Amino acid sequence: MSANVKFRFHLKSGKTFECIEELTTEQFLKSVDIVKISMREGVDGMLQFEDCCVRLAECAVVEWEVLDESKAEKS
């Protein structure tokens, strides 16, 4: 199962940008885990998607929203 997820990154510099990615459930959960650990423990994590790469130490806030879920078709 995969879903389109919109991540919104609020940088410490005051800038904000968004990235929409199609992720499997496993990829989504791993990304959220990386964000949580990085923000809570001050670890300099990084998220790398197809269209963007984000160094989490530069982020003040990271938000995400699942836009839609699509079921994988079975043959």
Side-chain angles (χ1 to χ4, degrees):
M1 186 184 242
S2 64
N4 287 319
V5 181
K6 176 169 58 172
F7 288 89
R8 183 174 295 120
F9 301 97
H10 301 275
L11 303 180
K12 292 176 182 177
S13 67
K15 296 180 181 182
T16 299
F17 71 95
E18 296 178 345
C19 179
I20 298 175
E21 294 291 326
E22 184 174 348
L23 303 174
T24 64
T25 302
E26 184 179 326
Q27 290 170 320
F28 172 69
L29 293 175
K30 184 177 179 182
S31 297
V32 169
D33 245 7
I34 291 169
V35 169
K36 286 181 178 181
I37 290 169
S38 180
M39 300 302 253
R40 182 181 23 191
E41 297 179 12
V43 177
D44 187 11
M46 184 177 291
L47 289 179
Q48 185 168 354
F49 299 117
E50 190 172 317
D51 294 332
C52 67
C53 183
V54 182
R55 188 170 164 217
L56 295 170
E58 301 295 323
C59 296
V61 176
V62 179
E63 301 172 317
W64 55 87
E65 172 185 359
V66 177
L67 301 176
D68 62 41
E69 293 183 31
S70 56
K71 295 181 182 177
E73 294 182 20
K74 294 184 179 180
S75 302

